[in-house]
Amino acid sequence: MMEANKLQQKKNAPIGVFDSGVGGLTVFREIMRQIPNEKMIYFGDTARVPYGSKSKNTITRFARQIVRFLRTHDVKTIVVACNTASAYALESLQAEFDIPIIGVVEPGAKVAAETTRNGNIGVIATEGTIGSRIYNSYINQMNPEATIYGKACPLFVPLVEEGWLKDPVTREVASRYLAELKDKDIDTLILGCTHYPLLRSTIQEVVGDRVTLVNPAYETAVTLKNLLSGMDLLNTEVPTQGEQQHKFFVSDKAERFLEFANSIIEHGIPNPQTIQIEDY
Ligand code: DGL
């Protein structure tokens, strides 16, 4: 009886999800859609965003602090909902902490490797993710014949944060960034940065219908569901009405985070709490 209670308690524990800021909400949203009973603790590092232009050492230090913070909430697993942090820090985090931690890169790479027909895969992401060549190594492990063309698109992040999702300026920027990938005859394109799924329709318009877009956020939620189900840790309890199912924390500018979150999360989110992440 005691054991059964303990297991139920573990199943009922939240999942920790973190990103450099708001972008990871695209991953949060997918998890919510695919495993709606789960509780989540989301942390957005709004004081230290962007991660995409910082070094591996710095990002690893940030990620460690965040994992320590999330563990204070007794999370049962952690999702690194940021491509740059997954590229730079996931391996160190997995070696250092004794709870399951997954990232967004491997799930996206797997789908791209399975999807391509002509073997030409494009990856768009931050400078850090492209420079790490992490998508190349995962894809080539699964499909050695594939050729991967990476392109950093740093202007996409501020455009998304400005809310210019379908603006002519965004379309022009996308056309310039993606021209060289179109010349490579890619048939699959990975949206390798948490913000990019929000530009999906503009990107699709620019690359054309023959290119399949891969959204790692969706695939990460599938991986998470399989992981929890494999460990018998999926939450079987339906959240009660009025219960605060998810909690949000940021390191700065909670109002701005809330505004953005409410524009992309159906029904909105509760007020985020600001914490001193450097203390962890
Ligand atoms: N979340 C980051 C990523 O997916 C993008 C924003 C940033 O540079 O911090 O790589």
Side-chain angles (χ1 to χ4, degrees), residues 39 41 48 56 108 160 168 208 249 257 265-266 272:
K39 298 176 179 164
I41 305 285
R48 305 189 290 195
K56 180 170 178 161
V160 168
F249 297 86
F257 179 91
I265 303 286
E266 218 188 327

Coordinates of all heavy atoms in Angstrom, one line a residue, residues 39 41 48 56 108 160 168 208 249 257 265-266 272:
K39 N 1.8 17.9 -14.9 CA 2.1 19.2 -14.3 C 3.4 19.7 -14.7 O 4.3 18.8 -14.9 CB 2.1 19.1 -12.8 CG 0.8 18.7 -12.2 CD 0.8 18.5 -10.7 CE -0.5 18.1 -10.2 NZ -0.5 17.5 -8.9
I41 N 6.7 22.7 -14.3 CA 7.4 23.8 -13.7 C 8.3 24.4 -14.9 O 9.2 23.7 -15.3 CB 8.4 23.4 -12.6 CG1 7.6 22.6 -11.5 CG2 9.1 24.7 -12.0 CD1 6.7 23.4 -10.6
R48 N 19.1 36.4 -19.0 CA 20.4 36.0 -19.6 C 20.2 35.6 -21.1 O 21.2 35.2 -21.7 CB 21.1 34.9 -18.8 CG 21.2 35.3 -17.3 CD 22.1 34.4 -16.5 NE 21.4 33.1 -16.3 CZ 21.9 32.2 -15.4 NH1 22.9 32.5 -14.7 NH2 21.3 31.0 -15.2
K56 N 30.0 27.7 -24.9 CA 29.6 26.5 -24.3 C 29.7 26.5 -22.8 O 28.8 26.0 -22.1 CB 30.4 25.3 -24.9 CG 30.1 24.0 -24.4 CD 30.8 22.9 -25.2 CE 30.4 21.6 -24.6 NZ 30.6 20.4 -25.4
G108 N 14.4 15.8 -32.9 CA 14.2 16.4 -34.2 C 15.1 15.8 -35.3 O 14.7 15.6 -36.4
V160 N 10.5 37.3 -33.9 CA 9.4 36.6 -33.2 C 9.0 37.3 -31.9 O 7.9 37.5 -31.6 CB 9.8 35.1 -32.9 CG1 8.9 34.5 -31.9 CG2 10.0 34.3 -34.1
P168 N 6.0 41.5 -43.7 CA 6.8 41.5 -44.9 C 8.3 41.6 -44.6 O 9.1 41.0 -45.3 CB 6.4 42.8 -45.7 CG 5.1 43.2 -45.1 CD 4.9 42.6 -43.7
G208 N 8.8 26.6 -50.0 CA 7.9 25.9 -50.9 C 7.4 24.6 -50.3 O 8.0 24.1 -49.3
F249 N 8.4 30.4 -13.8 CA 9.4 31.2 -13.1 C 10.3 31.8 -14.2 O 10.6 31.2 -15.2 CB 10.3 30.3 -12.2 CG 9.5 29.7 -11.1 CD1 8.8 28.5 -11.3 CD2 9.4 30.3 -9.8 CE1 8.1 27.9 -10.3 CE2 8.7 29.8 -8.8 CZ 8.0 28.6 -9.0
F257 N 7.3 38.5 -20.2 CA 7.2 37.0 -20.4 C 5.7 36.7 -20.5 O 5.2 35.9 -21.4 CB 7.9 36.3 -19.3 CG 7.8 34.8 -19.4 CD1 8.7 34.1 -20.1 CD2 6.7 34.1 -18.9 CE1 8.6 32.7 -20.2 CE2 6.6 32.7 -19.0 CZ 7.6 32.0 -19.7
I265 N -0.1 30.8 -25.8 CA -0.7 29.7 -25.1 C -2.2 29.9 -24.9 O -2.6 30.9 -24.3 CB -0.1 29.5 -23.6 CG1 1.5 29.4 -23.7 CG2 -0.7 28.4 -22.8 CD1 2.0 28.0 -24.2
E266 N -2.9 28.9 -25.4 CA -4.4 29.0 -25.4 C -4.8 29.1 -23.9 O -4.3 28.4 -23.1 CB -5.0 27.7 -26.0 CG -6.2 28.0 -26.8 CD -6.8 26.6 -27.2 OE1 -6.0 25.7 -27.4 OE2 -8.0 26.5 -27.3
P272 N 4.0 34.7 -13.7 CA 5.3 34.1 -13.4 C 5.9 34.7 -12.2 O 5.7 35.9 -12.0 CB 6.1 34.3 -14.7 CG 5.3 35.1 -15.6 CD 4.1 35.6 -14.9

